[in-house]
Amino acid sequence: MELSVGAFVLYTVSLFSLICFTHGANFYQDVDITWGDGRGKILENGNLISLSLDSSSGSGFKSKKEYLFAKVDMQIKLVPGNSAGTVTTFYLRSMQPKHDEIDFEFLGNVSGSPYTLHTNLFTQAVGNREMQFNLWFDPTRDFHNYTILWSAHHVIILVDGIPIRDFKNNEKKGVLFPTFQPLRMYASLWNGDSWATQGGRVKTDWSKAPFVAMYRNYKVDTCNWSGGKPNCHQKPWWNYEVTGNRYKQMRWIQRKFMIYNYCDDAKRFPQGLPLECKLR
């Protein structure tokens, strides 16, 4: 039985209220501001990061540590107003030439239009796995929680605790999956007006600069190590599955708010859709 819209919204609000009252780590201890010439700032005794973008530069930070499998949360308040051309990011990436990467990218828009959430996954430098969503709330009015759950079984993308994407490990069937490269967390705010808003047709309005995005409650639950291997089996997220009501919620979001799915874009793949699209 499909969830009603009212029941779904009530569930989302109650779940998010619980998330909001948890506390994250201290940014002074856990991240480095890596670029921006002072445009990235750690504030409120290490509990908040402000990233800004102007016509000269954006800004960004990264985690001090790398992780091999983890549940990673970040609360973000996106650029308000006319954010066209701006790209706010939160992602995991390895540093190897054939890198793995799991992306949240928030593509700004003109005032009154919804943000686009752009998700992608790279394995051994092979990407082209984009799924895009219109956010069903205003991400500029308050902080919302964005989660990457990366286990040996799945990469699951969640928004306010609601799964919106589930990329399964089908390595045994020939689909590449990130299993052996440690990943580091990155976040940034930069100018992407060559492509970010309506395919680059709408440019950044620099008279509205500086553009500012805020980050807080960065939380990482990663595996313990034993004998040189990650020991994850006691972590509650390790066996997280998108089944039952979770699956219904994900499909509801995808039906209502997904605006692009690479698995539906046959024209883009004239030699045939990627293998994982055929295993859904």
Side-chain angles (χ1 to χ4, degrees):
M1 179 177 176
E2 185 167 340
L3 295 175
S4 70
V5 174
F8 181 87
V9 171
L10 286 173
Y11 176 86
T12 304
V13 171
S14 63
L15 180 59
F16 182 56
S17 66
L18 291 174
I19 293 171
C20 282
F21 287 102
T22 61
H23 294 283
N26 187 287
F27 283 121
Y28 283 122
Q29 299 172 359
D30 296 313
V31 309
D32 293 314
I33 305 289
T34 50
W35 64 285
D37 195 23
R39 292 173 180 83
K41 299 177 181 178
I42 300 178
L43 307 169
E44 296 185 3
N45 298 316
N47 293 314
L48 184 73
I49 284 185
S50 167
L51 295 183
S52 67
L53 164 69
D54 57 36
S55 59
S56 297
S57 179
S59 49
F61 63 95
K62 68 178 182 180
S63 63
K64 294 180 183 292
K65 296 181 179 180
E66 295 179 322
Y67 313 103
L68 185 59
F69 304 124
K71 179 176 179 286
V72 185
D73 294 273
M74 185 77 78
Q75 290 186 1
I76 308 173
K77 186 177 181 182
L78 297 178
V79 174
N82 183 355
S83 59
T86 67
V87 181
T88 307
T89 73
F90 161 54
Y91 61 102
L92 305 181
R93 192 185 193 281
S94 67
M95 295 307 298
Q96 285 77 3
K98 291 190 174 183
H99 73 283
D100 294 340
E101 184 172 336
I102 306 165
D103 291 341
F104 272 101
E105 293 184 325
F106 302 90
L107 312 183
N109 218 326
V110 294
S111 299
S113 299
Y115 259 84
T116 297
L117 168 56
H118 176 97
T119 69
N120 201 359
L121 188 142
F122 291 76
T123 51
Q124 298 180 37
V126 177
N128 299 324
R129 296 189 176 109
E130 298 92 345
M131 292 175 68
Q132 293 184 338
F133 303 80
N134 282 335
L135 291 175
W136 53 97
F137 51 85
D138 182 351
T140 72
R141 294 187 64 182
D142 205 346
F143 287 87
H144 288 263
N145 201 78
Y146 304 97
T147 303
I148 297 170
L149 194 160
W150 171 39
S151 73
H153 316 297
H154 305 259
V155 171
I156 301 172
I157 303 294
L158 303 98
V159 176
D160 289 341
I162 307 296
I164 66 169
R165 180 173 185 177
D166 181 6
F167 186 86
K168 296 181 173 66
N169 184 346
N170 282 305
E171 277 190 310
K172 292 181 178 179
K173 298 179 181 180
V175 178
L176 295 176
F177 189 85
T179 54
F180 65 90
Q181 297 187 40
L183 305 184
R184 191 183 301 271
M185 185 279 296
Y186 294 83
S188 59
L189 173 60
W190 49 280
N191 177 34
D193 69 0
S194 64
W195 67 278
T197 304
Q198 298 181 30
R201 292 187 295 275
V202 181
K203 302 299 182 181
T204 305
D205 182 355
W206 294 114
S207 70
K208 302 294 193 296
F211 303 98
V212 178
M214 312 293 284
Y215 295 75
R216 72 179 188 189
N217 281 5
Y218 168 53
K219 296 183 294 182
V220 181
D221 189 9
T222 189
C223 300
N224 300 317
W225 283 76
S226 176
K229 296 181 180 180
N231 181 4
C232 311
H233 299 285
Q234 295 183 354
K235 297 293 183 178
W237 49 267
W238 183 251
N239 293 311
Y240 184 102
E241 296 283 342
V242 182
T243 56
N245 283 338
R246 293 171 180 164
Y247 180 77
K248 292 177 183 178
Q249 291 160 2
M250 182 179 74
R251 292 297 298 139
W252 190 89
I253 291 290
Q254 291 177 349
R255 286 195 299 270
K256 297 289 186 180
F257 301 104
M258 187 165 63
I259 58 175
Y260 179 80
N261 181 355
Y262 75 107
C263 282
D264 296 332
D265 194 350
K267 291 182 179 179
R268 183 181 175 189
F269 302 100
Q271 304 303 316
L273 291 170
L275 178 58
E276 65 267 19
C277 299
K278 304 170 187 176
L279 299 174
R280 292 184 295 173

PDB file of all heavy atoms in Angstrom, residues 181-209:
ATOM      1  N   GLN A 181      39.252   1.354  -2.454  1.00  0.00           N
ATOM      2  CA  GLN A 181      39.948   2.632  -2.339  1.00  0.00           C
ATOM      3  C   GLN A 181      39.360   3.445  -1.182  1.00  0.00           C
ATOM      4  O   GLN A 181      38.162   3.737  -1.190  1.00  0.00           O
ATOM      5  CB  GLN A 181      39.819   3.443  -3.630  1.00  0.00           C
ATOM      6  CG  GLN A 181      40.444   2.807  -4.836  1.00  0.00           C
ATOM      7  CD  GLN A 181      40.431   3.737  -6.041  1.00  0.00           C
ATOM      8  OE1 GLN A 181      40.663   4.935  -5.914  1.00  0.00           O
ATOM      9  NE2 GLN A 181      40.158   3.185  -7.221  1.00  0.00           N
ATOM     10  N   PRO A 182      40.167   3.826  -0.191  1.00  0.00           N
ATOM     11  CA  PRO A 182      39.663   4.717   0.860  1.00  0.00           C
ATOM     12  C   PRO A 182      39.237   6.059   0.266  1.00  0.00           C
ATOM     13  O   PRO A 182      39.861   6.564  -0.674  1.00  0.00           O
ATOM     14  CB  PRO A 182      40.862   4.881   1.796  1.00  0.00           C
ATOM     15  CG  PRO A 182      41.750   3.721   1.490  1.00  0.00           C
ATOM     16  CD  PRO A 182      41.555   3.422   0.036  1.00  0.00           C
ATOM     17  N   LEU A 183      38.178   6.625   0.818  1.00  0.00           N
ATOM     18  CA  LEU A 183      37.631   7.881   0.332  1.00  0.00           C
ATOM     19  C   LEU A 183      37.743   8.955   1.404  1.00  0.00           C
ATOM     20  O   LEU A 183      37.632   8.676   2.591  1.00  0.00           O
ATOM     21  CB  LEU A 183      36.165   7.717  -0.070  1.00  0.00           C
ATOM     22  CG  LEU A 183      35.830   6.618  -1.082  1.00  0.00           C
ATOM     23  CD1 LEU A 183      34.349   6.651  -1.440  1.00  0.00           C
ATOM     24  CD2 LEU A 183      36.679   6.731  -2.336  1.00  0.00           C
ATOM     25  N   ARG A 184      37.943  10.176   0.950  1.00  0.00           N
ATOM     26  CA  ARG A 184      38.003  11.344   1.818  1.00  0.00           C
ATOM     27  C   ARG A 184      36.783  12.225   1.547  1.00  0.00           C
ATOM     28  O   ARG A 184      36.301  12.300   0.413  1.00  0.00           O
ATOM     29  CB  ARG A 184      39.295  12.126   1.559  1.00  0.00           C
ATOM     30  CG  ARG A 184      39.602  13.217   2.572  1.00  0.00           C
ATOM     31  CD  ARG A 184      40.868  13.990   2.188  1.00  0.00           C
ATOM     32  NE  ARG A 184      42.031  13.129   2.093  1.00  0.00           N
ATOM     33  CZ  ARG A 184      42.840  12.830   3.111  1.00  0.00           C
ATOM     34  NH1 ARG A 184      42.586  13.330   4.315  1.00  0.00           N
ATOM     35  NH2 ARG A 184      43.891  12.047   2.933  1.00  0.00           N
ATOM     36  N   MET A 185      36.278  12.891   2.582  1.00  0.00           N
ATOM     37  CA  MET A 185      35.155  13.796   2.405  1.00  0.00           C
ATOM     38  C   MET A 185      35.644  15.151   1.912  1.00  0.00           C
ATOM     39  O   MET A 185      36.617  15.692   2.422  1.00  0.00           O
ATOM     40  CB  MET A 185      34.393  13.959   3.727  1.00  0.00           C
ATOM     41  CG  MET A 185      33.119  14.807   3.633  1.00  0.00           C
ATOM     42  SD  MET A 185      33.394  16.610   3.658  1.00  0.00           S
ATOM     43  CE  MET A 185      34.094  16.843   5.279  1.00  0.00           C
ATOM     44  N   TYR A 186      34.941  15.699   0.932  1.00  0.00           N
ATOM     45  CA  TYR A 186      35.194  17.040   0.416  1.00  0.00           C
ATOM     46  C   TYR A 186      33.891  17.831   0.388  1.00  0.00           C
ATOM     47  O   TYR A 186      32.805  17.256   0.231  1.00  0.00           O
ATOM     48  CB  TYR A 186      35.752  16.984  -1.008  1.00  0.00           C
ATOM     49  CG  TYR A 186      37.127  16.373  -1.135  1.00  0.00           C
ATOM     50  CD1 TYR A 186      37.286  14.992  -1.204  1.00  0.00           C
ATOM     51  CD2 TYR A 186      38.263  17.168  -1.192  1.00  0.00           C
ATOM     52  CE1 TYR A 186      38.548  14.416  -1.317  1.00  0.00           C
ATOM     53  CE2 TYR A 186      39.529  16.603  -1.309  1.00  0.00           C
ATOM     54  CZ  TYR A 186      39.659  15.227  -1.382  1.00  0.00           C
ATOM     55  OH  TYR A 186      40.910  14.667  -1.496  1.00  0.00           O
ATOM     56  N   ALA A 187      34.019  19.144   0.492  1.00  0.00           N
ATOM     57  CA  ALA A 187      32.868  20.038   0.335  1.00  0.00           C
ATOM     58  C   ALA A 187      33.368  21.331  -0.279  1.00  0.00           C
ATOM     59  O   ALA A 187      34.499  21.761  -0.017  1.00  0.00           O
ATOM     60  CB  ALA A 187      32.189  20.306   1.671  1.00  0.00           C
ATOM     61  N   SER A 188      32.527  21.955  -1.095  1.00  0.00           N
ATOM     62  CA  SER A 188      32.977  23.162  -1.786  1.00  0.00           C
ATOM     63  C   SER A 188      31.788  23.977  -2.279  1.00  0.00           C
ATOM     64  O   SER A 188      30.658  23.485  -2.366  1.00  0.00           O
ATOM     65  CB  SER A 188      33.877  22.801  -2.973  1.00  0.00           C
ATOM     66  OG  SER A 188      33.181  21.973  -3.892  1.00  0.00           O
ATOM     67  N   LEU A 189      32.086  25.232  -2.599  1.00  0.00           N
ATOM     68  CA  LEU A 189      31.142  26.138  -3.250  1.00  0.00           C
ATOM     69  C   LEU A 189      31.906  26.816  -4.372  1.00  0.00           C
ATOM     70  O   LEU A 189      32.924  27.471  -4.117  1.00  0.00           O
ATOM     71  CB  LEU A 189      30.601  27.162  -2.247  1.00  0.00           C
ATOM     72  CG  LEU A 189      29.728  28.284  -2.808  1.00  0.00           C
ATOM     73  CD1 LEU A 189      28.485  27.729  -3.502  1.00  0.00           C
ATOM     74  CD2 LEU A 189      29.325  29.249  -1.687  1.00  0.00           C
ATOM     75  N   TRP A 190      31.429  26.656  -5.620  1.00  0.00           N
ATOM     76  CA  TRP A 190      32.191  27.161  -6.747  1.00  0.00           C
ATOM     77  C   TRP A 190      31.252  27.599  -7.878  1.00  0.00           C
ATOM     78  O   TRP A 190      30.048  27.322  -7.849  1.00  0.00           O
ATOM     79  CB  TRP A 190      33.200  26.133  -7.241  1.00  0.00           C
ATOM     80  CG  TRP A 190      32.678  24.748  -7.479  1.00  0.00           C
ATOM     81  CD1 TRP A 190      32.453  23.782  -6.544  1.00  0.00           C
ATOM     82  CD2 TRP A 190      32.323  24.168  -8.744  1.00  0.00           C
ATOM     83  NE1 TRP A 190      31.992  22.633  -7.133  1.00  0.00           N
ATOM     84  CE2 TRP A 190      31.905  22.836  -8.483  1.00  0.00           C
ATOM     85  CE3 TRP A 190      32.340  24.612 -10.068  1.00  0.00           C
ATOM     86  CZ2 TRP A 190      31.485  21.979  -9.498  1.00  0.00           C
ATOM     87  CZ3 TRP A 190      31.932  23.753 -11.080  1.00  0.00           C
ATOM     88  CH2 TRP A 190      31.509  22.449 -10.783  1.00  0.00           C
ATOM     89  N   ASN A 191      31.831  28.285  -8.847  1.00  0.00           N
ATOM     90  CA  ASN A 191      31.069  28.797  -9.976  1.00  0.00           C
ATOM     91  C   ASN A 191      31.012  27.760 -11.075  1.00  0.00           C
ATOM     92  O   ASN A 191      32.029  27.403 -11.670  1.00  0.00           O
ATOM     93  CB  ASN A 191      31.706  30.086 -10.507  1.00  0.00           C
ATOM     94  CG  ASN A 191      30.982  30.615 -11.730  1.00  0.00           C
ATOM     95  OD1 ASN A 191      29.768  30.484 -11.839  1.00  0.00           O
ATOM     96  ND2 ASN A 191      31.718  31.214 -12.651  1.00  0.00           N
ATOM     97  N   GLY A 192      29.812  27.283 -11.371  1.00  0.00           N
ATOM     98  CA  GLY A 192      29.623  26.314 -12.444  1.00  0.00           C
ATOM     99  C   GLY A 192      28.664  26.818 -13.501  1.00  0.00           C
ATOM    100  O   GLY A 192      27.900  26.024 -14.067  1.00  0.00           O
ATOM    101  N   ASP A 193      28.684  28.124 -13.770  1.00  0.00           N
ATOM    102  CA  ASP A 193      27.641  28.658 -14.646  1.00  0.00           C
ATOM    103  C   ASP A 193      27.799  28.264 -16.111  1.00  0.00           C
ATOM    104  O   ASP A 193      26.939  28.563 -16.925  1.00  0.00           O
ATOM    105  CB  ASP A 193      27.494  30.174 -14.493  1.00  0.00           C
ATOM    106  CG  ASP A 193      28.668  30.982 -15.023  1.00  0.00           C
ATOM    107  OD1 ASP A 193      29.641  30.387 -15.526  1.00  0.00           O
ATOM    108  OD2 ASP A 193      28.607  32.230 -14.919  1.00  0.00           O
ATOM    109  N   SER A 194      28.877  27.547 -16.448  1.00  0.00           N
ATOM    110  CA  SER A 194      28.992  27.027 -17.813  1.00  0.00           C
ATOM    111  C   SER A 194      28.037  25.863 -18.064  1.00  0.00           C
ATOM    112  O   SER A 194      27.784  25.495 -19.217  1.00  0.00           O
ATOM    113  CB  SER A 194      30.430  26.587 -18.092  1.00  0.00           C
ATOM    114  OG  SER A 194      30.802  25.513 -17.245  1.00  0.00           O
ATOM    115  N   TRP A 195      27.495  25.258 -16.950  1.00  0.00           N
ATOM    116  CA  TRP A 195      26.633  24.090 -17.123  1.00  0.00           C
ATOM    117  C   TRP A 195      25.561  23.924 -16.051  1.00  0.00           C
ATOM    118  O   TRP A 195      24.552  23.249 -16.289  1.00  0.00           O
ATOM    119  CB  TRP A 195      27.481  22.818 -17.120  1.00  0.00           C
ATOM    120  CG  TRP A 195      28.120  22.536 -15.777  1.00  0.00           C
ATOM    121  CD1 TRP A 195      29.262  23.079 -15.290  1.00  0.00           C
ATOM    122  CD2 TRP A 195      27.618  21.680 -14.742  1.00  0.00           C
ATOM    123  NE1 TRP A 195      29.520  22.609 -14.016  1.00  0.00           N
ATOM    124  CE2 TRP A 195      28.529  21.744 -13.663  1.00  0.00           C
ATOM    125  CE3 TRP A 195      26.499  20.860 -14.640  1.00  0.00           C
ATOM    126  CZ2 TRP A 195      28.342  21.030 -12.489  1.00  0.00           C
ATOM    127  CZ3 TRP A 195      26.315  20.131 -13.459  1.00  0.00           C
ATOM    128  CH2 TRP A 195      27.231  20.214 -12.408  1.00  0.00           C
ATOM    129  N   ALA A 196      25.720  24.556 -14.887  1.00  0.00           N
ATOM    130  CA  ALA A 196      24.938  24.161 -13.717  1.00  0.00           C
ATOM    131  C   ALA A 196      23.457  24.514 -13.814  1.00  0.00           C
ATOM    132  O   ALA A 196      22.605  23.744 -13.357  1.00  0.00           O
ATOM    133  CB  ALA A 196      25.537  24.787 -12.458  1.00  0.00           C
ATOM    134  N   THR A 197      23.112  25.669 -14.340  1.00  0.00           N
ATOM    135  CA  THR A 197      21.722  26.130 -14.330  1.00  0.00           C
ATOM    136  C   THR A 197      21.188  26.167 -15.752  1.00  0.00           C
ATOM    137  O   THR A 197      21.686  26.907 -16.601  1.00  0.00           O
ATOM    138  CB  THR A 197      21.621  27.521 -13.693  1.00  0.00           C
ATOM    139  OG1 THR A 197      22.187  27.468 -12.369  1.00  0.00           O
ATOM    140  CG2 THR A 197      20.178  27.975 -13.591  1.00  0.00           C
ATOM    141  N   GLN A 198      20.191  25.325 -15.996  1.00  0.00           N
ATOM    142  CA  GLN A 198      19.566  25.212 -17.320  1.00  0.00           C
ATOM    143  C   GLN A 198      20.622  24.992 -18.405  1.00  0.00           C
ATOM    144  O   GLN A 198      20.619  25.639 -19.463  1.00  0.00           O
ATOM    145  CB  GLN A 198      18.704  26.444 -17.617  1.00  0.00           C
ATOM    146  CG  GLN A 198      17.553  26.610 -16.651  1.00  0.00           C
ATOM    147  CD  GLN A 198      16.671  27.814 -16.957  1.00  0.00           C
ATOM    148  OE1 GLN A 198      16.544  28.213 -18.119  1.00  0.00           O
ATOM    149  NE2 GLN A 198      16.054  28.381 -15.939  1.00  0.00           N
ATOM    150  N   GLY A 199      21.545  24.090 -18.107  1.00  0.00           N
ATOM    151  CA  GLY A 199      22.562  23.732 -19.074  1.00  0.00           C
ATOM    152  C   GLY A 199      23.532  24.844 -19.411  1.00  0.00           C
ATOM    153  O   GLY A 199      24.198  24.801 -20.453  1.00  0.00           O
ATOM    154  N   GLY A 200      23.655  25.825 -18.512  1.00  0.00           N
ATOM    155  CA  GLY A 200      24.566  26.933 -18.737  1.00  0.00           C
ATOM    156  C   GLY A 200      23.923  28.149 -19.368  1.00  0.00           C
ATOM    157  O   GLY A 200      24.595  29.175 -19.573  1.00  0.00           O
ATOM    158  N   ARG A 201      22.615  28.065 -19.648  1.00  0.00           N
ATOM    159  CA  ARG A 201      21.948  29.211 -20.270  1.00  0.00           C
ATOM    160  C   ARG A 201      21.772  30.379 -19.300  1.00  0.00           C
ATOM    161  O   ARG A 201      21.712  31.536 -19.720  1.00  0.00           O
ATOM    162  CB  ARG A 201      20.578  28.789 -20.822  1.00  0.00           C
ATOM    163  CG  ARG A 201      20.675  27.835 -22.008  1.00  0.00           C
ATOM    164  CD  ARG A 201      19.305  27.576 -22.628  1.00  0.00           C
ATOM    165  NE  ARG A 201      18.415  26.877 -21.705  1.00  0.00           N
ATOM    166  CZ  ARG A 201      18.390  25.556 -21.563  1.00  0.00           C
ATOM    167  NH1 ARG A 201      19.212  24.798 -22.274  1.00  0.00           N
ATOM    168  NH2 ARG A 201      17.543  24.989 -20.731  1.00  0.00           N
ATOM    169  N   VAL A 202      21.665  30.071 -18.001  1.00  0.00           N
ATOM    170  CA  VAL A 202      21.524  31.121 -16.987  1.00  0.00           C
ATOM    171  C   VAL A 202      22.855  31.269 -16.263  1.00  0.00           C
ATOM    172  O   VAL A 202      23.369  30.309 -15.679  1.00  0.00           O
ATOM    173  CB  VAL A 202      20.400  30.781 -15.985  1.00  0.00           C
ATOM    174  CG1 VAL A 202      20.264  31.897 -14.953  1.00  0.00           C
ATOM    175  CG2 VAL A 202      19.082  30.565 -16.722  1.00  0.00           C
ATOM    176  N   LYS A 203      23.418  32.452 -16.288  1.00  0.00           N
ATOM    177  CA  LYS A 203      24.735  32.706 -15.725  1.00  0.00           C
ATOM    178  C   LYS A 203      24.635  33.251 -14.303  1.00  0.00           C
ATOM    179  O   LYS A 203      23.586  33.705 -13.859  1.00  0.00           O
ATOM    180  CB  LYS A 203      25.504  33.685 -16.612  1.00  0.00           C
ATOM    181  CG  LYS A 203      25.692  33.220 -18.043  1.00  0.00           C
ATOM    182  CD  LYS A 203      26.482  31.918 -18.120  1.00  0.00           C
ATOM    183  CE  LYS A 203      26.723  31.475 -19.556  1.00  0.00           C
ATOM    184  NZ  LYS A 203      27.466  30.194 -19.622  1.00  0.00           N
ATOM    185  N   THR A 204      25.756  33.197 -13.610  1.00  0.00           N
ATOM    186  CA  THR A 204      25.838  33.743 -12.250  1.00  0.00           C
ATOM    187  C   THR A 204      25.689  35.260 -12.289  1.00  0.00           C
ATOM    188  O   THR A 204      26.331  35.935 -13.099  1.00  0.00           O
ATOM    189  CB  THR A 204      27.187  33.369 -11.618  1.00  0.00           C
ATOM    190  OG1 THR A 204      27.362  31.952 -11.668  1.00  0.00           O
ATOM    191  CG2 THR A 204      27.257  33.851 -10.175  1.00  0.00           C
ATOM    192  N   ASP A 205      24.847  35.778 -11.421  1.00  0.00           N
ATOM    193  CA  ASP A 205      24.676  37.229 -11.279  1.00  0.00           C
ATOM    194  C   ASP A 205      25.616  37.704 -10.174  1.00  0.00           C
ATOM    195  O   ASP A 205      25.300  37.613  -8.991  1.00  0.00           O
ATOM    196  CB  ASP A 205      23.220  37.549 -10.935  1.00  0.00           C
ATOM    197  CG  ASP A 205      22.966  39.053 -10.811  1.00  0.00           C
ATOM    198  OD1 ASP A 205      23.940  39.845 -10.890  1.00  0.00           O
ATOM    199  OD2 ASP A 205      21.800  39.434 -10.634  1.00  0.00           O
ATOM    200  N   TRP A 206      26.778  38.200 -10.557  1.00  0.00           N
ATOM    201  CA  TRP A 206      27.798  38.557  -9.575  1.00  0.00           C
ATOM    202  C   TRP A 206      27.418  39.756  -8.730  1.00  0.00           C
ATOM    203  O   TRP A 206      28.051  40.002  -7.696  1.00  0.00           O
ATOM    204  CB  TRP A 206      29.138  38.778 -10.268  1.00  0.00           C
ATOM    205  CG  TRP A 206      29.681  37.515 -10.871  1.00  0.00           C
ATOM    206  CD1 TRP A 206      29.852  37.245 -12.189  1.00  0.00           C
ATOM    207  CD2 TRP A 206      30.083  36.338 -10.165  1.00  0.00           C
ATOM    208  NE1 TRP A 206      30.332  35.968 -12.365  1.00  0.00           N
ATOM    209  CE2 TRP A 206      30.498  35.385 -11.139  1.00  0.00           C
ATOM    210  CE3 TRP A 206      30.139  35.990  -8.813  1.00  0.00           C
ATOM    211  CZ2 TRP A 206      30.959  34.127 -10.798  1.00  0.00           C
ATOM    212  CZ3 TRP A 206      30.596  34.727  -8.479  1.00  0.00           C
ATOM    213  CH2 TRP A 206      30.996  33.810  -9.455  1.00  0.00           C
ATOM    214  N   SER A 207      26.374  40.487  -9.123  1.00  0.00           N
ATOM    215  CA  SER A 207      25.915  41.598  -8.263  1.00  0.00           C
ATOM    216  C   SER A 207      25.309  41.079  -6.971  1.00  0.00           C
ATOM    217  O   SER A 207      25.162  41.830  -6.005  1.00  0.00           O
ATOM    218  CB  SER A 207      24.891  42.459  -9.009  1.00  0.00           C
ATOM    219  OG  SER A 207      23.656  41.769  -9.189  1.00  0.00           O
ATOM    220  N   LYS A 208      24.963  39.766  -6.937  1.00  0.00           N
ATOM    221  CA  LYS A 208      24.395  39.150  -5.721  1.00  0.00           C
ATOM    222  C   LYS A 208      25.477  38.555  -4.828  1.00  0.00           C
ATOM    223  O   LYS A 208      25.182  38.049  -3.747  1.00  0.00           O
ATOM    224  CB  LYS A 208      23.392  38.061  -6.111  1.00  0.00           C
ATOM    225  CG  LYS A 208      22.243  38.535  -6.991  1.00  0.00           C
ATOM    226  CD  LYS A 208      21.347  39.518  -6.244  1.00  0.00           C
ATOM    227  CE  LYS A 208      20.035  39.755  -6.981  1.00  0.00           C
ATOM    228  NZ  LYS A 208      20.197  40.405  -8.293  1.00  0.00           N
ATOM    229  N   ALA A 209      26.729  38.582  -5.265  1.00  0.00           N
ATOM    230  CA  ALA A 209      27.824  38.009  -4.467  1.00  0.00           C
ATOM    231  C   ALA A 209      28.120  38.867  -3.244  1.00  0.00           C
ATOM    232  O   ALA A 209      27.822  40.071  -3.233  1.00  0.00           O
ATOM    233  CB  ALA A 209      29.062  37.885  -5.348  1.00  0.00           C
TER     234      ALA A 209
END
